[in-house]
């Protein structure tokens, strides 16, 4: 397992948003986290990526305990993520947003800027090249000079992927990557996620679009009210009684309504 | 060649600044312009932490005063050699800045603004009340001018002007290098979203601290220059109103722009000084001006010009695209 | 014992004024998330309007106070409409700068109209009374009584009226309240009016024991910020409790430590609190 949580718990005051959750994310696979709104999916991401500290439990990455690590250190280890609402900077170009994604792999500081050292020049070039590479990867090379506010919702999602990819991650956590994107464009995002995995990345995503999950995911984890209620292959989940009752019971509509 | 072309505005400014004393014998004008250069350095400090890194610090008059009073006290009371005192003054401010930043930067947004406002006020109260050390309301009199460096002495208005100009040029170049580099981009990323910056592996606390420390260093440097230029210090330089003045220069010129501090400070300092009646009532105009700018031109004069230029270029490109597409169309026919 | 009682009563008086100012600040913060740096200027204008109505128009104290509430409340509403409303989609740094601009403007305007002199305000409440071993002017008793009455009235307004409930709802969840058909604009304007009115009352009752001058709001606003950080930004009870905590700390500090540095207590308190808890004492759900 690339990432493993044991007994992971996160409480906000009286509310236990993530409750004693054990999940394992296998390297090179697509793992999906599903569950109704408020199930604690985003919170699970937030805790794993070091954004929130856990109340209890343990998280390991490649066997290393990362439970207490800060968000920026976790990113340096190779764990990247996107947010449910893409929080790119709208008034800057796509390129400018992505370029900084590689900053964590550079070492230059204020003195490099003051003395205009070769290291700074080299690293600035590296960041740019990295940005061009990932923008090409996600298919945004043509949009790279446009303002984020001028591009479509789907392109914004791709740009957010690009920022995450620019950090040179081993695993990416995608929080509702297809939300707010119309059904015709979802296919492109699915293909992109497949492409990431084919390139050796591990993908973990939260999604409500059931059809998409069923055809994309290798492994599904179902959360409800903070607890893990089931996990398995798409077939297993589709036939799991607990899941059907708690979540799929209402059919596609209920799931998509969120 | 291209370097000259790219920096032609800066070079024109520099040329004008270098020649200015040749065209006027009026010592008073020179005095005002020198003063505006000193404030510009402090405003650059405020710009770095506020404009680029996104943390509005309202303690900068306090840091300015720490630099000024350190130099004053070291030279007047402790008889430390001038340039040594000068370096120490900058150092003291920077160290205080480091410790204030260490704590203040853990707070966010409004809390940071309020916290620094209070820190600024504490600095003011200490200077005001601790009169055995600082002279309190009476102030600190007789700060010496900079002592000669080799054959160059700093007695005349011209020599002081060029000294301050030299520091300003250094600061400008530093700011240009810094803000246009990857490091500057890192600060901007923090301004845009601290959350996102963290998730892409930026140690935001550390970056903010470095930015804050540099900004207090610049305030201290400006303060030290001020002390030996004006040669009298009173507690009012550390008062909140001084921070607000600096903020006004910054907003008018353009917060988060490289030229903003230069343009804003020069314009406002010279305008208020040349219209003496404005000294007392300047805020009757500048107060509403701040509000107006923040609503309509949040990036001030320089930001406004940049936007106008960008729009013009965009239109030009659109036009070119259109003509080229129609011509290919015709060619196809 | 007498000294202590006297100082405690002093603390009660100062605390009452602080609480009223902090209440206005916290209400606006709760609704719009604006730290209104111009609130101190509203306080100052409140002091002047009351004083000038009494001296130039010769109207009685309470009528002047009423005028002051209307004028300052009106200015506050204008601020909301002309400035903060325009900035509602801007980055938070803009609100702060605009508030500072307003503060500078109001202060200079008052100085232009009425000059920079320190003025005293005389009211009919200058009798001296003694009870429980302490001696105070009736003005100080008026301060305490008026402040408590205003707080009770505010409490009833927020709890018992529709629009008051809307203010509370909006301070808890802006989007949600908006969805449920609360007219966000009206609520914002009303909140600013109340905030200005509270500042005017605070200035009108405290000016007779202090002085009226253009910079009279500086320290008060800084302290009000300290108070709402102590009490939780946006919290109504927090502002009241914080106000009295600061009032008592200052009056006791002035007696037992040094009166030169009594003003610094608030800021040291703030620095200490934010050092330990950078998100403020009550980071979330302080309502
Ligand atoms: N920062 C927070 N503070 C308090 N409660 C939170 C916070 N983040 C999430 N929650 C609560 O935790 C629960 C789970 O939320 P979330 O993880 O966002 O759900 P999901 O992503 O599955 O829809 C919700 O009840 C939500 O209100
Ligand atoms: Mg979610």
């Amino acid at each position: 397992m690339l990432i493993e949580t044991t007994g992971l718990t996160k409480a906000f005051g009286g509310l236990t948003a993530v409750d004693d959750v054990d999940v394992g994310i296998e390297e090179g696979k697509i793992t999906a986290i599903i569950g109704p709104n408020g199930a604690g999916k985003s919170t699970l991401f937030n805790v794993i990526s070091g954004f929130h500290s856990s109340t209890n439990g343990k998280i390991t990455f490649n066997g290393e305990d990362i439970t207490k690590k800060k968000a920026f250190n976790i990113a340096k280890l190779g764990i990247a993520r996107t947010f449910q609402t893409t929080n790119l900077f709208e008034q800057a170009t796509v390129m400018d947003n992505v370029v900084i994604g590689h900053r964590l792999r550079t070492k230059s500081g204020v003195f490099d800027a003051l003395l205009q050292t070769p290291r700074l020049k080299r690293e600035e070039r590296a960041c740019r090249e990295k940005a061009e590479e990932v923008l090409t990867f996600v298919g945004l090379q043509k949009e790279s000079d446009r303002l984020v506010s001028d591009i479509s919702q789907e392109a914004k999602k791709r740009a957010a992927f690009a920022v995450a990819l620019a950090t040179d991650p081993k695993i990416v956590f995608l929080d509702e990557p297809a939300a707010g994107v119309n059904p015709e464009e979802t296919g492109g995002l699915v293909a992109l996620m497949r492409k990431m995995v084919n390139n050796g990345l591990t993908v973990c995503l939260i999604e409500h679009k059931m059809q998409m999950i069923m055809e994309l995911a290798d492994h599904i984890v179902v959360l409800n009210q903070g607890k893990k209620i089931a996990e398995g292959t798409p077939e297993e989940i589709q036939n799991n009684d607990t899941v059907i009752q708690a979540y799929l019971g209402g059919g596609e509509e209920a799931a998509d309504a969120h | 060649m291209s370097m000259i072309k790219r920096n032609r505005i800066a070079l024109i400014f520099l040329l004008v600044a270098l020649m200015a004393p040749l065209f006027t014998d009026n010592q008073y004008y020179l005095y005002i312009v020198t003063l505006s250069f000193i404030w510009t350095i402090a405003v650059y400090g405020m710009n770095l932490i506020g404009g680029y890194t996104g943390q509005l610090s309202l303690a900068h008059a306090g840091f300015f005063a720490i630099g000024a009073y350190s130099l004053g006290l070291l030279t007047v009371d402790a008889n430390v050699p001038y340039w040594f005192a000068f370096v120490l003054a900058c150092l003291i401010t920077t160290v205080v800045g480091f410790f204030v930043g260490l704590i203040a930067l853990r707070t966010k947004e409004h809390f940071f603004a309020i916290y620094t406002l209070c820190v600024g006020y504490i600095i003011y109260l200490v200077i005001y009340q601790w009169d055995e050390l600082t002279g309190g309301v009476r102030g600190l009199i007789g700060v010496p001018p900079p002592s000669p460096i080799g054959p160059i002495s700093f007695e005349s208005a011209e020599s002081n002007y060029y000294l301050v100009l030299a520091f300003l040029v250094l600061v400008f170049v530093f700011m240009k290098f810094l803000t246009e580099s990857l490091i500057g981009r890192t600060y901007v990323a923090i301004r845009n979203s601290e959350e996102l910056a963290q998730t892409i592996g930026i140690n935001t606390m550390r970056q903010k601290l470095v930015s804050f420390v540099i900004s207090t260093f610049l305030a201290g440097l400006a303060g030290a220059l001020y002390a030996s230029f004006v040669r009298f210090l009173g507690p009012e330089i550390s008062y909140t109103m001084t921070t607000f003045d600096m903020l006004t220069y910054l907003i008018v010129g353009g917060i988060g722009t490289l030229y903003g501090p230069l343009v804003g400070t020069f314009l406002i300092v010279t305008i208020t000084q040349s219209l003496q009646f404005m000294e007392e009532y300047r805020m009757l105009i500048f107060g509403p001006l701040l509000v107006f700018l923040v609503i309509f031109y949040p990036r001030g004069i320089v930001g406004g010009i940049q936007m106008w230029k960008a729009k013009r270029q965009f239109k030009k490109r659109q036009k070119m695209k259109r003509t080229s597409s129609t011509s290919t169309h015709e060619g196809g026919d | 014992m007498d000294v202590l009682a006297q100082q405690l009563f002093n603390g009660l008086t100062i605390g009452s004024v602080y609480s009223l100012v902090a209440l206005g600040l916290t209400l606006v913060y709760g609704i719009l998330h604006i730290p209104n740096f111009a609130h101190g200027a509203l306080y100052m204008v409140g002091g002047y309007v009351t004083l000038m109505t009494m001296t130039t128009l010769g109207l009685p104290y309470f009528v002047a106070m009423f005028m002051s509430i209307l004028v300052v409340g009106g200015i506050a509403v204008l601020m909301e409409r002309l400035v903060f409303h325009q900035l509602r989609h801007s980055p938070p740094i803009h609100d702060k700068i605009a508030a500072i601009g307003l503060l500078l403007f109001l202060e200079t305007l008052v100085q232009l109209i009425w000059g920079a002199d320190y003025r005293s305000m005389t009211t009919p409440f200058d009798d001296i009374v003694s009870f429980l071993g302490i001696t105070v002017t009736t003005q100080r008793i008026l301060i305490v009584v008026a402040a408590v009455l205003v707080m009770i009235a505010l409490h009833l307004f927020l709890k018992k009226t529709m629009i008051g409930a809307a203010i509370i709802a909006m301070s808890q969840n802006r989007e949600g309240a908006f969805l449920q058909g609360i007219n966000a604009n009206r609520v914002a304007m009303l909140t600013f009016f109340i905030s200005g009115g509270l500042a005017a009352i605070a200035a009108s009752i405290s000016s007779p024991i202090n002085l009226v001058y253009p910079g009279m709001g500086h320290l008060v606003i800084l302290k009000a910020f300290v108070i709402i950080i102590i009490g939780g930004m946006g919290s109504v009870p927090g502002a009241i409790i914080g106000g009295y905590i600061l009032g008592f700390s200052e009056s006791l500090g002035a007696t037992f430590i040094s009166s030169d540095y009594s003003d610094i207590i608030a800021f040291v308190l703030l620095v200490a609190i934010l050092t330990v808890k950078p998100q403020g004492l009550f980071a979330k759900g302080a309502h």
Side-chain angles (χ1 to χ4, degrees), chain B residues 50 54-56 58 103 106-111 113-115 117-119 121-122 125-126 129-130 239-241 244 247-248 251 255 280-288 290-291 294-295 298, chain C residues 29 33 35 37 82-83 86-87 92-94 96-98 100-105 107-109 111-112 218-219 222 225-226 229 233 260-261 263-264 267-268 270-271 274-276 278-280:
Chain B
Q55 318 291 315
L56 183 65
L58 298 176
I103 299 164
R106 295 172 54 208
T107 64
K108 303 240 159 77
E109 276 186 13
H110 306 321
F111 286 115
I114 296 167
Y115 191 104
L117 190 64
C118 288
V119 168
Y121 202 83
I122 292 176
L125 272 183
V126 169
Q129 298 284 6
W130 195 357
Y239 198 56
T240 328
M241 229 24 105
F244 291 166
L247 188 64
T248 310
I251 301 298
I255 187 169
E280 203 174 342
Y281 296 112
R282 63 192 188 284
M283 288 305 173
L284 220 46
I285 294 164
F286 295 145
L290 276 187
V291 176
V294 150
I295 296 176
Chain C
Y29 187 84
H33 283 258
F37 289 111
L82 298 180
V83 180
Q86 313 296 327
L87 286 169
I93 207 168
H94 291 180
K96 282 174 270 193
I97 293 166
I100 290 171
L102 290 168
L103 149 88
L104 297 172
F105 171 69
E107 219 173 285
T108 323
L109 184 67
Q111 193 178 334
L112 179 73
H218 291 180
L219 266 178
L222 282 177
F225 272 122
V226 175
I229 284 173
M233 306 270 275
D260 275 356
Y261 288 95
D263 281 337
I264 227 169
F267 308 114
V268 173
L270 173 101
V271 168
L274 285 184
T275 303
V276 182
Q279 265 104 44

Side-chain angles (χ1 to χ4, degrees), chain A residues 33-52:
Chain A
I33 315 275
I34 64 169
N37 245 348
K41 306 177 299 290
S42 296
T43 306
L44 179 67
F45 272 23
N46 285 337
V47 175
I48 293 176
S49 59
F51 217 68
H52 287 149

Side-chain angles (χ1 to χ4, degrees), chain C residues 233-279:
Chain C
M233 306 270 275
S235 158
V236 170
I240 297 173
I241 296 167
Y244 284 110
I245 290 180
L246 185 62
F248 287 123
S249 323
E250 279 191 9
S251 62
L252 294 178
T255 336
F256 297 113
I257 307 168
S258 150
S259 61
D260 275 356
Y261 288 95
S262 79
D263 281 337
I264 227 169
I265 289 175
F267 308 114
V268 173
L269 211 60
L270 173 101
V271 168
I273 289 171
L274 285 184
T275 303
V276 182
K277 302 207 78 174
Q279 265 104 44

Side-chain angles (χ1 to χ4, degrees), chain B residues 166-198:
Chain B
F167 274 105
L168 178 60
V169 170
L170 287 178
V171 168
F172 177 85
V173 171
F174 176 39
M175 280 297 122
K176 184 173 166 61
F177 283 169
L178 187 63
T179 56
E180 289 176 357
S181 76
L182 196 55
I183 292 88
R185 281 170 180 274
T186 313
Y187 296 158
V188 172
I190 294 173
R191 177 187 75 193
N192 293 346
S193 163
E194 206 169 327
E195 293 188 349
L196 187 64
Q198 268 171 18

